[in-house]
Amino acid sequence: MMRLDPHGRAHACEDAAHMGSGRPSRRSLLGLLASASAFVALPAGAQAPAPGPQKSFGYDDVVARARQLGERPFDADAATIPAELARLTYDSYREIRFRRDKAFWREGGSDFRLLPFHLGFLHDKPVQLHIISHGAAMPIPFTTSLFEYGKVPVPKGLSPSLGFAGFAVTTNLNDPRVQDEAISFLGASYFRLIGRGHHYGLSARSLAIDIGGAQPEEFPFMRALWLEEPSRDSTELTIYALLDSPSVAGAYRYVVRPGATTHVDVTATIFPRKPIERIGIAPLTSMSQAGEGDLAQRSDFRPEIHDSDGLMMQAGSGEWIWRPLRNPRQQAISSFVERNVRGFGLMQRDRVFEHYQDLDLNYELRPSYWIEPQGDWGEGVVELIEIPTTDETNDNIVALWAPKTPLEPGREFSFGYKLTSMMDSSDLHPGGRIINTYQAKPKALGSGEPVNAGARRFIVDFAGGDLDYHLKQPEKVEIVPSIAYGRIDRAFIVPNPKTSGFRAFIDIVVEPGQLAEMRAFLRSGDKTLTETWSYPWRAES
């Protein structure tokens, strides 16, 4: 899975220096939008509005279009771009940038700005953008005057109905005087959001189909996007989307609330065209090339290279689980069977610059994404897919929820969740957290107790919660380990004053070639003190 520009894409930003006199007036922009209705085709599956009074465009209208779209065969030829745009290279595509002085909504007094993305290079699926103003949805016509082309020749003869690759929305995220990008939709059904002080890292996806399976992955994409024009006092932004793919059509609503932590409430209704065995709800995708336990994966001087370092989840039972991410030798899928999972996410816990030593990419400032299901999601699995990579520009980590029952054509499927972009996830639960995972060959204890030659040692640091309190009487704290498909030779803990917590040592023995699944947490009496560490390990053949 390749991401176009995971680190270096110029994020939309503007300040007082960008507010020149060359911007169009609000009246001219509205005229441009209104004139588009004469030549921009309605999105696939849509019907022309009937004459007479019309209700305000909203989510129900998108659901109706998705239902109509799902009742028809998938049209693979409906979304194409001119050859000259498809021939753009990575470097030439980056030359094309939206003119910030043309940003939509500048004249309305809102803190939000809308900046469309140009089509080209890998972004070859046109999406029709619309602004909902006073209840009416008006398409945005394409024009080269909206863009700066740098060294790339300005294309000629492009239709106003061409569409765009997606969009970014900026707001006063970090400074009330400066516009910074808060959310963007670019590529298939991908979108990214950040909060105050965050740097872009992992991505969210609206839907995943057949990811990690035997057959090629299917990438649903957006055919149309609508944005409600924000008022002067708006603190949130509402976006609607019409999704399509060979297997499914769908309607989405995203309500975005930017801030120190940025939240998006997602509502979706999907219409399968055919049976779908492997579908991913609320999928997240990230990169993890090297963590503190991946010495062999380091490609240069940097100790760690990752956008996320763990999968965190809260089970339906209330248990909190931490699964450190790996860069495996071969693709691996871990499944956590749950009923009504309470939450899951790909997290970036390590915020220490010295652990990354990267002055340009700022891995310590990459956000964590946390998913909270709304309503009853029922039985299913939280899946973590880890793919080998030697290149930090490749996303190799996916987390998603998959329903137990396959989706069937003719039966719509609805769900909702809240997605939060955050820096500090310590408020999600009050217990101690896992902050490090290492492994090594076991060493003999001071007592001279022999060590099994085939054993493997895992070292886990627990910190936070009430662990600093329990350091005053550490003998009251015990480790509770378990293993499937192997045996535990030894498990013990020692106080770790450097982290105000405890360091756990777990020695296991596993048959050659066997995959073991380990779990461990700390408790005092009958009180659980920490989240549960979960980790798979395969013994060498």
Side-chain angles (χ1 to χ4, degrees), residues 339-414:
R339 178 173 181 82
N340 292 329
V341 61
R342 299 188 189 182
F344 69 93
L346 290 176
M347 319 304 284
Q348 182 78 317
R349 278 188 174 170
D350 193 336
R351 298 296 178 188
V352 181
F353 166 77
E354 286 76 13
H355 295 175
Y356 303 99
Q357 292 291 346
D358 198 313
L359 294 171
D360 297 319
L361 302 184
N362 301 115
Y363 284 115
E364 72 278 6
L365 299 179
R366 304 299 172 97
S368 300
Y369 283 1
W370 178 247
I371 302 290
E372 295 178 76
Q374 305 297 305
D376 183 353
W377 278 18
E379 292 185 77
V381 297
V382 174
E383 280 195 345
L384 173 66
I385 303 169
E386 298 167 301
I387 303 168
T389 186
T390 58
D391 187 344
E392 65 193 285
T393 64
N394 289 333
D395 281 338
N396 66 316
I397 303 294
V398 179
L400 53 84
W401 182 79
K404 178 181 178 181
T405 304
L407 273 59
E408 297 292 337
R411 297 182 61 184
E412 65 183 70
F413 179 73
S414 298

Side-chain angles (χ1 to χ4, degrees), residues 55-57 131-138:
K55 67 180 180 66
S56 295
F57 186 92
I131 290 177
I132 303 172
S133 182
H134 302 291
M138 297 181 290

Side-chain angles (χ1 to χ4, degrees), residues 424-455:
D424 184 6
S425 60
S426 60
D427 291 340
L428 289 177
H429 71 79
R433 306 186 302 160
I434 291 93
I435 60 172
N436 293 310
T437 298
Y438 306 99
Q439 56 176 291
K441 293 182 179 180
K443 295 182 178 179
L445 300 177
S447 62
E449 183 179 349
V451 173
N452 191 308

Side-chain angles (χ1 to χ4, degrees), residues 1 39 56 93 141 157 201 209 247 286 333 338 369 372 379 453 470:
M1 292 174 289
F39 49 75
S56 295
Y93 180 75
I209 297 177
S247 297
S286 189
I333 300 179
E338 286 295 327
Y369 283 1
E372 295 178 76
E379 292 185 77
H470 288 278

Side-chain angles (χ1 to χ4, degrees), residues 132-153:
I132 303 172
S133 182
H134 302 291
M138 297 181 290
I140 302 176
F142 173 84
T143 170
T144 55
S145 65
L146 294 174
F147 297 90
E148 297 173 344
Y149 287 84
K151 300 176 183 178
V152 176

Side-chain angles (χ1 to χ4, degrees), residues 209-217 278 331 333:
I209 297 177
D210 290 330
I211 188 169
Q215 56 187 356
E217 181 180 357
R278 293 183 56 83
Q331 179 175 299
I333 300 179

Side-chain angles (χ1 to χ4, degrees), residues 192-511:
R192 298 198 291 180
L193 58 146
I194 50 177
R196 189 168 302 148
H198 305 181
H199 286 219
Y200 273 132
L202 76 165
S203 299
R205 299 169 63 177
S206 300
L207 198 67
I209 297 177
D210 290 330
I211 188 169
Q215 56 187 356
E217 181 180 357
E218 181 178 310
F219 288 91
F221 63 95
M222 302 306 190
R223 287 199 183 271
L225 290 159
W226 295 261
L227 298 97
E228 289 188 359
E229 184 175 30
S231 68
R232 179 182 297 272
D233 299 322
S234 295
T235 58
E236 63 182 33
L237 183 71
T238 301
I239 303 164
Y240 305 103
L242 180 66
L243 177 141
D244 198 14
S245 81
S247 297
V248 68
Y252 281 75
R253 176 175 57 207
Y254 312 85
V255 180
V256 187
R257 297 186 301 279
T261 56
T262 292
H263 305 275
V264 180
D265 291 321
V266 181
T267 305
T269 304
I270 60 177
F271 302 89
R273 286 190 173 95
K274 58 185 180 181
I276 304 175
E277 292 289 337
R278 293 183 56 83
I279 192 165
I281 305 300
L284 305 173
T285 182
S286 189
M287 181 276 296
S288 181
Q289 181 181 341
E292 71 268 3
D294 294 322
L295 294 175
Q297 301 291 359
R298 299 174 185 173
S299 56
D300 50 42
F301 71 94
R302 295 170 296 173
E304 299 182 36
I305 307 169
H306 53 76
D307 288 337
S308 307
D309 54 8
L311 167 72
M312 186 166 71
M313 62 176 291
Q314 186 183 22
S317 64
E319 179 186 24
W320 289 89
I321 299 169
W322 177 258
R323 164 66 157 77
L325 298 181
R326 308 168 302 155
N327 182 1
R329 295 181 180 179
Q330 58 186 15
Q331 179 175 299
I333 300 179
S334 299
S335 298
F336 300 84
V337 179
E338 286 295 327
R339 178 173 181 82
N340 292 329
V341 61
R342 299 188 189 182
F344 69 93
L346 290 176
M347 319 304 284
Q348 182 78 317
R349 278 188 174 170
D350 193 336
R351 298 296 178 188
V352 181
F353 166 77
E354 286 76 13
H355 295 175
Y356 303 99
Q357 292 291 346
D358 198 313
L359 294 171
D360 297 319
L361 302 184
N362 301 115
Y363 284 115
E364 72 278 6
L365 299 179
R366 304 299 172 97
S368 300
Y369 283 1
W370 178 247
I371 302 290
E372 295 178 76
Q374 305 297 305
D376 183 353
W377 278 18
E379 292 185 77
V381 297
V382 174
E383 280 195 345
L384 173 66
I385 303 169
E386 298 167 301
I387 303 168
T389 186
T390 58
D391 187 344
E392 65 193 285
T393 64
N394 289 333
D395 281 338
N396 66 316
I397 303 294
V398 179
L400 53 84
W401 182 79
K404 178 181 178 181
T405 304
L407 273 59
E408 297 292 337
R411 297 182 61 184
E412 65 183 70
F413 179 73
S414 298
F415 57 90
Y417 59 93
K418 181 167 75 172
L419 166 60
T420 301
S421 175
M422 62 181 68
M423 288 288 283
D424 184 6
S425 60
S426 60
D427 291 340
L428 289 177
H429 71 79
R433 306 186 302 160
I434 291 93
I435 60 172
N436 293 310
T437 298
Y438 306 99
Q439 56 176 291
K441 293 182 179 180
K443 295 182 178 179
L445 300 177
S447 62
E449 183 179 349
V451 173
N452 191 308
R456 190 69 177 170
R457 171 166 291 178
F458 291 85
I459 304 100
V460 184
D461 285 328
F462 294 85
D466 282 339
L467 293 184
D468 57 346
Y469 168 84
H470 288 278
L471 280 175
K472 300 176 180 67
Q473 197 174 19
E475 64 274 14
K476 292 284 189 178
V477 179
E478 65 175 331
I479 184 172
V480 183
S482 61
I483 190 171
Y485 313 111
R487 78 170 190 270
I488 296 173
D489 247 14
R490 182 187 297 110
F492 59 96
I493 58 174
V494 298
N496 187 350
K498 300 295 185 182
T499 63
S500 298
F502 291 83
R503 175 165 286 183
F505 298 83
I506 306 169
D507 294 351
I508 67 169
V509 177
V510 180
E511 293 294 325

